[in-house]
Amino acid sequence: MPPLPGAELVRTPVHLYRYLLRCCKQLPTRAMQQHYQHAIRQGYNSHTDEDDPERIQLIIQRAISDADWILDKFSICCVFQYNKK
């Protein structure tokens, strides 16, 4: 399951960049949001010279699945912390 609606519409690196930044808003703390926003910017800048369409699509698919994993991880952690109270 994608972290946000619209993952299936991500086709270009710019769309991916904006999509991942929107995903960061779902993270529980501001520090986590800033950490992942920085990582997204660094990843985007390091791949700006990529011109192989197959490689770009592979990067997009991997980034979306990684974002899904991260958001699932933190949502599960938050549920467990809530249940401990």
Side-chain angles (χ1 to χ4, degrees):
M1 176 166 76
L4 283 179
E8 65 280 354
L9 301 176
V10 174
R11 299 279 185 248
T12 67
V14 174
H15 289 149
L16 176 64
Y17 178 75
R18 294 179 69 205
Y19 175 80
L20 292 175
L21 289 179
R22 284 193 308 272
C23 287
C24 285
K25 293 179 182 178
Q26 294 185 348
L27 293 170
T29 67
R30 184 70 182 136
M32 286 181 202
Q33 292 173 4
Q34 290 176 339
H35 170 79
Y36 284 104
Q37 287 169 348
H38 178 73
I40 291 165
R41 285 185 191 101
Q42 294 289 20
Y44 180 79
N45 290 334
S46 69
H47 291 289
T48 55
D49 60 344
E50 191 66 57
D51 57 357
D52 180 18
E54 289 179 21
R55 174 81 174 125
I56 291 171
Q57 288 306 311
L58 196 67
I59 291 169
I60 289 171
Q61 291 171 357
R62 179 61 190 254
I64 290 172
S65 69
D66 288 350
D68 187 26
W69 182 85
I70 290 168
L71 290 175
D72 282 346
K73 174 184 163 184
F74 286 115
S75 67
I76 289 171
C77 290
C78 291
V79 167
F80 284 130
Q81 288 177 353
Y82 179 76
N83 288 335
K84 286 182 181 179
K85 293 180 181 180

